[in-house]
Amino acid sequence: MPKKYRLTVDPSAYETLLDYADFLWQVSPDAADRLELSFKKSLARIADNPFQFPFADAVVVLYIPPKAYRKCIFEKHYKALFRLNGYEVIIDAVIDSRMENVDL
């Protein structure tokens, strides 16, 4: 049986996800619940096989070398950006692809 990868979610990425969920909760609690569930399912998929996800677009991660990050799209508009370090997967950012992400 293949080894699962250990996941680490950067606190700032988790905080961003909570901000998105909090905003959604004010508009639609169901949408906020779907976002949380979709993120959890994505984490399980990433832990099973992070190589199934494509590399992040150069535009998304401007100052990062090409192929340093992969992306997992969840709940249509959100992306988890992650990198690998051996058998550890580090999720460094969660972004809403509909927004400008100049601060990345």
Side-chain angles (χ1 to χ4, degrees):
M1 181 160 86
K3 181 175 180 172
K4 260 192 155 181
Y5 289 79
R6 186 174 60 122
L7 279 170
T8 302
V9 179
D10 185 273
S12 64
Y14 188 69
E15 186 66 34
T16 301
L17 178 70
L18 291 177
D19 289 344
Y20 293 146
D22 184 49
F23 175 78
L24 281 175
W25 186 264
Q26 295 173 32
V27 178
S28 168
D30 289 340
D33 290 342
R34 282 193 309 273
L35 177 65
E36 179 185 5
L37 181 61
S38 182
F39 183 68
K40 286 179 180 178
K41 286 180 179 179
S42 294
L43 291 180
R45 290 179 54 220
I46 292 168
D48 283 340
N49 179 10
F51 297 102
Q52 69 181 303
F53 298 96
F55 288 107
D57 307 332
V59 175
V60 173
V61 284
L62 273 180
Y63 301 104
I64 306 298
K67 299 187 179 182
Y69 278 86
R70 292 181 180 268
K71 65 181 175 184
C72 173
I73 298 172
F74 61 99
E75 200 54 33
K76 299 178 188 172
H77 303 289
Y78 300 92
K79 294 179 188 178
L81 298 179
F82 63 92
R83 59 191 163 90
L84 289 132
N85 184 17
Y87 277 96
E88 181 180 23
V89 175
I90 302 120
I91 298 176
D92 283 325
V94 174
I95 60 173
D96 182 339
S97 61
R98 298 167 291 188
M99 299 171 61
E100 290 289 326
N101 294 296
V102 187
D103 57 342
L104 286 177

Coordinates of all heavy atoms in Angstrom, one line a residue, residues 9-24 35 39 74 78-79 91-97 99 101 103-104:
V9 N -1.1 22.6 7.0 CA -1.7 23.8 6.4 C -1.1 25.0 7.1 O -1.2 25.1 8.4 CB -3.3 23.7 6.6 CG1 -3.9 25.0 6.0 CG2 -3.8 22.5 5.9
D10 N -0.5 25.9 6.4 CA 0.1 27.1 7.0 C -1.1 27.8 7.7 O -2.2 28.0 7.2 CB 0.7 27.9 5.9 CG 1.4 29.1 6.4 OD1 0.7 30.2 6.6 OD2 2.6 29.1 6.7
P11 N -0.8 28.4 8.9 CA -1.8 29.1 9.6 C -2.4 30.2 8.8 O -3.7 30.5 8.9 CB -1.1 29.6 10.9 CG 0.0 28.7 11.1 CD 0.4 28.2 9.7
S12 N -1.7 30.9 8.0 CA -2.2 32.1 7.3 C -3.2 31.5 6.2 O -4.2 32.2 5.8 CB -1.1 32.9 6.7 OG -0.4 32.2 5.7
A13 N -2.9 30.4 5.6 CA -3.7 29.8 4.6 C -5.1 29.4 5.2 O -6.1 29.6 4.7 CB -3.1 28.6 3.9
Y14 N -5.0 28.8 6.4 CA -6.2 28.4 7.1 C -7.0 29.6 7.5 O -8.2 29.6 7.4 CB -5.8 27.5 8.4 CG -7.0 26.9 9.0 CD1 -7.7 25.9 8.4 CD2 -7.4 27.4 10.3 CE1 -8.8 25.4 9.0 CE2 -8.5 26.8 10.9 CZ -9.2 25.8 10.2 OH -10.3 25.3 10.8
E15 N -6.3 30.7 7.9 CA -7.0 31.9 8.3 C -7.8 32.5 7.1 O -8.9 33.0 7.2 CB -6.1 32.9 8.9 CG -6.7 34.1 9.4 CD -7.5 33.9 10.7 OE1 -7.2 33.0 11.5 OE2 -8.6 34.6 10.8
T16 N -7.1 32.5 6.0 CA -7.8 32.9 4.7 C -9.0 32.1 4.4 O -10.1 32.7 4.1 CB -6.8 32.9 3.6 OG1 -5.7 33.7 3.9 CG2 -7.4 33.4 2.3
L17 N -8.9 30.8 4.5 CA -10.1 30.0 4.3 C -11.2 30.3 5.3 O -12.4 30.4 4.9 CB -9.7 28.5 4.5 CG -10.8 27.5 4.3 CD1 -11.3 27.4 2.8 CD2 -10.4 26.1 4.8
L18 N -10.9 30.5 6.5 CA -11.9 30.9 7.5 C -12.5 32.3 7.2 O -13.7 32.4 7.4 CB -11.3 31.0 8.9 CG -10.9 29.6 9.5 CD1 -10.2 29.9 10.9 CD2 -12.1 28.7 9.6
D19 N -11.7 33.2 6.6 CA -12.3 34.5 6.2 C -13.3 34.3 5.1 O -14.4 34.9 5.1 CB -11.2 35.4 5.8 CG -10.3 35.9 6.9 OD1 -10.8 35.8 8.1 OD2 -9.2 36.5 6.6
Y20 N -12.9 33.4 4.1 CA -13.9 33.2 3.0 C -15.2 32.5 3.5 O -16.3 32.9 3.1 CB -13.2 32.3 2.0 CG -12.1 32.9 1.2 CD1 -11.0 32.1 0.8 CD2 -12.0 34.2 0.9 CE1 -9.9 32.6 0.1 CE2 -11.0 34.7 0.2 CZ -9.9 33.9 -0.2 OH -8.9 34.5 -0.9
A21 N -15.0 31.5 4.4 CA -16.2 30.8 5.0 C -17.0 31.8 5.8 O -18.3 31.7 5.7 CB -15.7 29.6 5.8
D22 N -16.4 32.7 6.5 CA -17.2 33.6 7.3 C -18.0 34.5 6.4 O -19.2 34.8 6.7 CB -16.2 34.4 8.2 CG -17.0 35.4 9.2 OD1 -17.9 34.9 9.8 OD2 -16.6 36.6 9.2
F23 N -17.4 35.0 5.4 CA -18.1 35.9 4.4 C -19.3 35.1 3.8 O -20.4 35.6 3.8 CB -17.2 36.4 3.3 CG -17.9 37.2 2.3 CD1 -18.3 38.5 2.5 CD2 -18.2 36.6 1.1 CE1 -18.9 39.2 1.5 CE2 -18.9 37.3 0.1 CZ -19.2 38.6 0.3
L24 N -19.0 33.9 3.4 CA -20.1 33.1 2.8 C -21.2 32.8 3.8 O -22.4 32.8 3.4 CB -19.5 31.7 2.3 CG -18.8 31.8 1.0 CD1 -18.2 30.4 0.7 CD2 -19.7 32.2 -0.2
L35 N -18.1 24.9 1.2 CA -16.7 25.2 1.1 C -15.9 24.4 2.1 O -14.8 23.9 1.7 CB -16.6 26.7 1.4 CG -15.1 27.3 1.4 CD1 -14.5 27.1 0.0 CD2 -15.1 28.7 1.9
F39 N -13.1 21.6 1.0 CA -11.7 21.8 1.4 C -11.2 20.5 2.0 O -10.1 20.0 1.7 CB -11.5 23.0 2.3 CG -10.1 23.2 2.7 CD1 -9.2 23.6 1.7 CD2 -9.7 23.0 4.0 CE1 -7.8 23.9 2.1 CE2 -8.4 23.3 4.4 CZ -7.5 23.7 3.4
F74 N -11.0 23.7 -5.6 CA -12.1 23.1 -4.9 C -13.3 24.1 -4.9 O -13.0 25.3 -5.0 CB -11.7 22.7 -3.5 CG -11.2 23.7 -2.6 CD1 -12.0 24.3 -1.6 CD2 -9.9 24.2 -2.7 CE1 -11.5 25.3 -0.8 CE2 -9.4 25.2 -1.8 CZ -10.2 25.7 -0.9
Y78 N -12.0 28.3 -5.7 CA -10.9 28.3 -4.7 C -9.8 27.4 -5.1 O -10.0 26.4 -5.6 CB -11.5 28.0 -3.3 CG -12.6 28.9 -2.9 CD1 -13.9 28.6 -3.2 CD2 -12.3 30.1 -2.3 CE1 -14.9 29.5 -2.8 CE2 -13.3 31.0 -1.9 CZ -14.6 30.7 -2.2 OH -15.6 31.6 -1.9
K79 N -8.6 27.9 -4.7 CA -7.4 27.1 -5.0 C -6.6 27.0 -3.7 O -6.4 27.9 -3.0 CB -6.5 27.8 -6.0 CG -7.1 27.9 -7.4 CD -6.1 28.7 -8.3 CE -6.7 29.0 -9.6 NZ -5.8 29.8 -10.5
I91 N 0.5 23.2 2.5 CA -0.4 24.1 1.9 C -0.1 25.5 2.4 O -0.3 25.8 3.5 CB -1.9 23.7 2.2 CG1 -2.1 22.3 1.6 CG2 -2.8 24.7 1.6 CD1 -3.4 21.7 1.8
D92 N 0.4 26.3 1.5 CA 0.9 27.7 1.8 C -0.1 28.8 1.6 O 0.0 29.8 2.2 CB 2.2 28.0 1.0 CG 3.4 27.3 1.6 OD1 3.5 27.2 2.8 OD2 4.3 27.0 0.8
A93 N -1.1 28.5 0.7 CA -2.1 29.6 0.4 C -3.4 29.0 0.0 O -3.4 27.9 -0.7 CB -1.6 30.5 -0.6
V94 N -4.5 29.6 0.3 CA -5.8 29.3 -0.2 C -6.3 30.7 -0.8 O -6.3 31.7 -0.1 CB -6.8 28.9 0.9 CG1 -8.2 28.7 0.3 CG2 -6.3 27.5 1.5
I95 N -6.6 30.6 -2.1 CA -7.0 31.9 -2.7 C -8.4 31.7 -3.4 O -8.7 30.6 -3.8 CB -6.0 32.4 -3.7 CG1 -5.7 31.3 -4.8 CG2 -4.7 32.7 -3.0 CD1 -4.8 31.8 -5.9
D96 N -9.1 32.8 -3.6 CA -10.3 32.8 -4.4 C -9.8 33.3 -5.7 O -9.4 34.4 -5.9 CB -11.3 33.8 -3.7 CG -12.6 33.9 -4.5 OD1 -12.7 33.5 -5.6 OD2 -13.6 34.3 -3.8
S97 N -10.0 32.5 -6.7 CA -9.5 32.8 -8.1 C -10.2 34.0 -8.7 O -9.8 34.5 -9.8 CB -9.5 31.6 -9.0 OG -10.9 31.1 -9.1
M99 N -10.6 36.9 -7.3 CA -10.1 38.1 -6.7 C -8.6 38.3 -7.3 O -7.9 37.4 -7.7 CB -10.0 38.0 -5.2 CG -11.4 37.8 -4.6 SD -11.3 37.4 -2.8 CE -10.5 38.9 -2.2
N101 N -4.9 38.8 -6.6 CA -4.0 38.2 -5.6 C -2.7 38.8 -5.6 O -1.6 38.2 -5.6 CB -4.0 36.7 -5.7 CG -5.3 36.1 -5.5 OD1 -5.8 36.1 -4.4 ND2 -5.9 35.5 -6.6
D103 N -1.2 40.4 -3.3 CA -0.4 40.2 -2.1 C 0.2 38.8 -1.9 O 0.9 38.6 -0.9 CB -1.3 40.5 -0.8 CG -2.5 39.6 -0.8 OD1 -2.9 39.0 -1.8 OD2 -3.1 39.5 0.3
L104 N 0.0 37.9 -2.9 CA 0.7 36.6 -2.8 C 2.2 36.8 -3.1 O 3.0 36.1 -2.8 CB 0.1 35.6 -3.8 CG -1.2 35.1 -3.4 CD1 -1.7 34.2 -4.5 CD2 -1.2 34.3 -2.1

